[in-house]
Amino acid sequence: MRYQLYYWGEIQGRGEFIRLALEDAGADYKDVVRSAGSDVMDAYFKKRNGPFACPFLKAGRLLIGQTANILHYLGPRLGLAPKDEARRLWLHQLQLTIADWLVEVHDTHHPIGSGFYYEQQKKEARRRSKDFLKNRLPMYLDYFERVDLGKFSYVNLSLFQMIEGLEYAFPRAMKRHRRRKLLENRYRVRIRLEKYLTSERRIAFNQLGIFRRYPELDA
Ligand SMILES: N[C@@H](CCC(=O)N[C@@H](CS)C(=O)NCC(=O)O)C(=O)O
């Protein structure tokens, strides 16, 4: 199967959670916008039953949107999830929790709305980040440190991405929030995916993405 991934070409964003799974499995895929521009992606948004937002994946005749949904589909096909229904649902549940967590990270720099520039919501961003770092971040970290992830799966890859992103965005706060299992997972994935992570295919974190480094928002 040749997969076609549709996601913005300049950022890791939510597309990266899919890229990591495809790369880890050595899957045959095309990162469409990066090679053909974003017009092709826009055309899908105009379709009657197209996706609401990116990332979305084209797999044969299937057109699949929502990050967690895409991973739910890809997991067993890429050897990154078991076929057993109970385990798959558990992984899907964890991935949806990661999606919630990611929205909270985004909202640290855009707490009022995506229609405003960061500079227009700096004060609120500071309040929101403070609350996120003090209350929400440790809750999520403790949760994922505690739960049973089972055999290596796409959830391990997504957790790696969360920790990498948080270290990029909040290096000071993350020093206070070291979690042994999550760090071990991070090193494990770094070794597994070294070739991809050091290649040009891995877009660097930047100030357009979900994880952004504004020192004034860090601890
Ligand atoms: N719940 C969706 C969220 C998708 C989403 O918000 N994608 C962003 C890019 S990272 C987007 O295209 N937003 C445009 C919009 O919401 O209008 C997922 O996890 O995939």
Side-chain angles (χ1 to χ4, degrees), residues 49-69:
N49 287 330
F52 177 76
C54 60
F56 58 91
L57 184 83
K58 205 154 179 299
R61 291 168 63 195
L62 290 178
L63 184 60
I64 311 161
Q66 292 283 353
T67 310
N69 203 31

Side-chain angles (χ1 to χ4, degrees), residues 7-8 11 13-14 52-55 66-68 99 210:
Y7 193 71
W8 303 116
I11 59 170
R14 288 181 173 86
F52 177 76
C54 60
Q66 292 283 353
T67 310
I210 298 173

